[in-house]
Amino acid sequence: MINPDQTIPCPVCETKIPFDAKELLGGVKFICPSSSCDATIGLASQSKPIVQDTLEKLESIKS
Ligand SMILES: [Zn+2]
């Protein structure tokens, strides 16, 4: 089950991409849900700064 708060903005179209932090850290890539965009979010991609930033925000919410 995906927490609705765990979304990351697509670097291409800014659509919110739902993701699971554990899976993301495990190397799983998440595909933008927009039908006109096939961007993927993953730790190994150029989107890493966005991922890092989002994970840090999630951490600060948790604690
Ligand atoms: Zn997109």
Side-chain angles (χ1 to χ4, degrees):
M1 192 172 150
I2 295 170
N3 183 333
D5 291 335
Q6 289 193 345
T7 59
I8 201 164
C10 174
V12 178
C13 68
E14 295 184 0
T15 296
K16 287 179 191 240
I17 304 173
F19 75 102
D20 182 281
K22 279 184 193 167
E23 289 183 10
L24 188 70
L25 290 170
V28 175
K29 286 185 178 174
F30 293 85
I31 302 164
C32 179
S34 173
S35 56
S36 58
C37 175
D38 60 358
T40 56
I41 291 288
L43 279 187
S45 74
Q46 72 272 29
S47 56
K48 193 168 181 177
I50 298 172
V51 172
Q52 198 74 43
D53 188 54
T54 303
L55 290 178
E56 280 170 13
K57 281 177 193 162
L58 287 174
E59 284 300 317
S60 62
I61 292 166
K62 267 189 238 164
S63 53

